[in-house]
Amino acid sequence: MSKISWRQVSALALAAFFVVGSLSNIFAPGSIYEEYLRWGYPPWFHFVTGSLELTTAVLLAQARTRLWGSALGCTVMLAALATVTLHGEYGHGVPPLIVATLSIIVGWIVWRKRLSSSA
């Protein structure tokens, strides 16, 4: 039986979060759709966000593309944080801030591992 490290678990848990987020955005219920409109985004923009989140999940799930996934995930979450902050919805900024931080941590772990294996 193979051992799964906490590093892999953290990356896969983050990928799972992005899968859930992508499905929530792609199949946007009325409340999410209305939020995008209230924030000034075009009616189709939830598909863009959902697609980026799904891409993030796929990249995070594979060890060789995990660094790219963490970078994309962090970017998406920082954009979400900027959106809610600009609209004064500070309470909605906590989840994207946490997920952006976790994306940075996962990326840092992958980066360190690559540096140590190439040395």
Side-chain angles (χ1 to χ4, degrees):
M1 186 150 124
S2 68
K3 282 181 136 180
I4 298 178
S5 74
W6 65 270
R7 292 171 182 91
Q8 291 170 311
V9 169
S10 61
L12 294 176
L14 192 58
F17 169 85
F18 279 106
V19 167
V20 171
S22 73
L23 294 176
S24 295
N25 281 303
I26 291 170
F27 300 108
S31 60
I32 291 176
Y33 181 77
E34 293 299 323
E35 284 180 334
Y36 276 93
L37 294 178
R38 189 177 73 243
W39 294 327
Y41 289 108
W44 47 264
F45 197 76
H46 63 97
F47 293 118
V48 173
T49 303
S51 298
L52 289 171
E53 288 177 330
L54 189 57
T55 301
T56 296
V58 169
L59 292 171
L60 283 168
Q62 302 173 49
R64 69 184 192 359
T65 58
R66 195 162 287 151
L67 186 59
W68 289 106
S70 63
L72 181 57
C74 184
T75 302
V76 169
M77 289 297 106
L78 290 177
L81 179 61
T83 295
V84 296
T85 301
L86 288 172
H87 289 88
E89 299 177 21
Y90 305 112
H92 288 131
V94 174
L97 181 60
I98 291 170
V99 176
T101 302
L102 292 174
S103 295
I104 290 169
I105 291 168
V106 167
W108 181 71
I109 289 168
V110 172
W111 183 262
R112 272 190 52 207
K113 185 176 180 182
R114 287 187 183 176
L115 286 177
S116 67
S117 67
S118 67

